[in-house]
């Protein structure tokens, strides 16, 4: 079964690659095809993609991981595009997770002022979030996604079968974005996940393998609605950053440590901190969400000596305006938000609250 999300500029095709990619390619006349992978997706995913591509496409494999989302790796990708003599009628296929898709898309969108690219996400995070909505870029000077642009892909092909290539920790990481989408825009999906989590051992994602298609359909629908309404993040799209103002800073802080956090682990922690009511503010603690997140992701206290650096990192957040750190939190109604100004004492209060949870 294939579900099609028809966005204004491009389709997202959710279903087996065999039922989507060949028909889409057949309707186009690309001069050349170059596949970007990382070393993991080259081994585990490329053999599943290759049967649907024209004979002998070019292929480049980069090192996996956030640490490689750099200008140096971009140079490697651009060089491979020149070496393959791609012209502007060529197609780049990004086969990988969020890092590969953001960076491969960035290189494709800037090579000779832009060639078409498609996203074939292989992680849960990329399937439900990163591959959708045209945000491309790389990290720079220790800041996540500091350099980049908005440019939509020609299409996105989401095949849930790739989820079986993921280690459990990577699946849990992507699940944080599913939680985020459910919490901000789909009360039924949220209730469904909470109910499933009751019956699930700690440390596991509460979705059975056979249910991913439905869960992805609901989660992608939330993202599609937001990016269609606000493609360039002038308003409601900021809500997709729920959990990320604090989460990105925590992720960046631990990136250089011996025990980095995954993106989803950091965002889940950020969701707990950001959902906390303002001091004397309205609303109660979202204890159901806190329990779900602690059960799925465990607990990783943030050392107090990290607070100054975390505050400095939050000062670089792209939502900030006029020097104020801003975070978007969901309001009572689905797809409604409040944009809060975060002060340093408030950040510390929120992190201390998280530290005390167990
Ligand atoms: N991942 C957040 C966004 O696409 O806006």
């Amino acid at each position: 079964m294939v579900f099609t999300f028809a966005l204004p500029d491009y389709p997202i095709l959710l279903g087996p690659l065999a039922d989507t990619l060949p028909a889409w390619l057949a309707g186009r006349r690309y001069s050349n095809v170059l596949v970007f992978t990382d070393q993991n997706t080259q081994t585990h995913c490329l053999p599943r993609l290759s049967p649907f591509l024209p004979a002998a496409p070019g292929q480049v494999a980069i090192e996996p991981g956030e640490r490689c989302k750099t200008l140096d790796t971009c140079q490697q990708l651009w060089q491979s595009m020149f070496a393959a003599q791609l012209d502007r009628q060529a197609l780049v296929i990004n086969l990988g997770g969020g890092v590969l898709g953001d960076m491969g898309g960035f290189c494709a969108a800037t090579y000779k002022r832009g060639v078409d690219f498609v996203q074939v996400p292989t992680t849960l995070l990329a399937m439900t979030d990163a591959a959708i909505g045209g945000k491309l870029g790389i990290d720079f000077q220790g800041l996540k996604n500091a350099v980049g642009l908005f440019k939509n892909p020609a299409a996105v092909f989401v095949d849930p079968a790739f989820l079986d290539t993921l280690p459990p920790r990577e699946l849990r990481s992507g699940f944080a974005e599913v939680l985020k989408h459910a919490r901000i825009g789909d009360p039924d999906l949220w209730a469904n996940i909470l109910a499933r989590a009751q019956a699930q051992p700690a440390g596991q994602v509460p979705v059975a393998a056979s249910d991913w298609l439905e869960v992805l359909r609901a989660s992608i629908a939330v993202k599609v609605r937001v990016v269609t309404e606000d493609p360039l993040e002038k308003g409601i799209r900021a809500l997709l950053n729920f959990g990320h103002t604090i989460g990105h800073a925590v992720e960046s802080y631990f990136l250089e440590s011996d025990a980095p956090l995954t993106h989803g682990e950091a965002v889940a922690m950020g969701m707990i901190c950001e959902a906390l009511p303002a001091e004397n503010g309205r609303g109660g603690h979202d204890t159901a969400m806190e329990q779900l997140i602690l059960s799925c992701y465990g607990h990783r206290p943030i050392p107090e000596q990290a607070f100054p650096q975390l505050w400095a990192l939050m000062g670089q957040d792209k939502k900030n305006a006029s020097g104020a750190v801003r975070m978007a939190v969901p309001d009572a109604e689905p797809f409604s938000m409040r944009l809060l100004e975060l002060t340093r004492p408030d950040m510390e209060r929120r992190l201390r609250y998280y530290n005390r949870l167990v």
Side-chain angles (χ1 to χ4, degrees), residues 269-342:
M269 183 188 294
M271 283 166 60
I272 291 181
C273 296
E274 294 181 19
L276 203 60
E279 223 148 17
N280 307 318
R282 60 187 155 144
H285 292 186
D286 194 338
T287 44
M289 185 180 80
E290 288 168 4
Q291 289 313 315
L292 171 60
I293 287 174
L294 290 176
S295 159
C296 194
Y297 297 94
H299 187 244
R300 175 85 176 265
I302 312 292
E304 297 248 345
Q305 64 269 25
F307 289 1
Q309 195 176 336
L310 290 171
W311 182 244
L313 285 162
M314 284 174 219
Q316 303 292 338
D317 193 279
K318 290 185 285 305
K319 290 182 303 308
N320 297 348
S322 310
V325 175
R326 301 198 304 177
M327 62 181 192
V329 297
D331 216 339
E333 292 300 309
F335 298 103
S336 66
M337 70 170 186
R338 283 174 293 147
L339 213 47
L340 302 182
E341 278 197 13
L342 188 64

Side-chain angles (χ1 to χ4, degrees), residues 129-130 132-133 135 177 180 223 227 233 237 240-241 244:
D129 187 24
I132 301 164
K135 279 188 179 176
E177 305 294 350
K180 179 193 77 181
K223 172 104 192 207
V227 300
E233 200 169 314
R237 187 163 178 172
L240 295 176
N241 291 302
H244 288 64

Side-chain angles (χ1 to χ4, degrees), residues 7 25 41 72 117 141 149 171 209 244 286 316:
L7 280 79
L25 279 173
T41 59
D72 281 349
F117 64 95
Q141 295 186 343
L149 74 162
L171 194 70
H244 288 64
D286 194 338
Q316 303 292 338

